[in-house]
Amino acid sequence: QVQLVESGGGSVQSGGSLRLSCAASGYTFYCMGWFRQAPGKEREGVAAIGRDGSTLYADSVKGRFTIYRDNAKNTLYLQMNSLKAEDTAMYYCAAGSPVACSDFGWQNQDTFDVWGQGTQVTVSS
């Protein structure tokens, strides 16, 4: 059974850091990514990474967030530094084929095939 399980969410003050993890099982995906959805807003792409280590970031998180993966453990990570109140959201791990990591596809949730259940991140100002 293909499954993604996120962990690492929580509450932190503005300027703080958190690291999210996403453990994949049942399959090794080429592309893995993080999306987030705040209350009343659409789900948006945060970052994505290919199996070759190539990365893509939303402008709003560049320089603050780092996506990386451990292929041996089939685990995805998102290191979030300098967190802001506007980063508050439910964060979802997603995985898919190489097209999901393309410049035109990575921020479209429809290009990802498998999703985790989400982990809440709350940043207080």
Side-chain angles (χ1 to χ4, degrees), residues 2 7 12 14 19 24 33 37-38 41 44 46 51 59 65 90 92 113 116 118 121 125:
V2 178
S7 60
V12 65
S14 180
R19 189 183 77 161
Q37 187 168 19
K41 295 188 176 181
E44 62 175 358
V46 175
R51 188 169 175 79
D59 288 343
F65 291 10
M90 184 71 78
Y92 297 91
D113 302 311
V121 171
S125 56

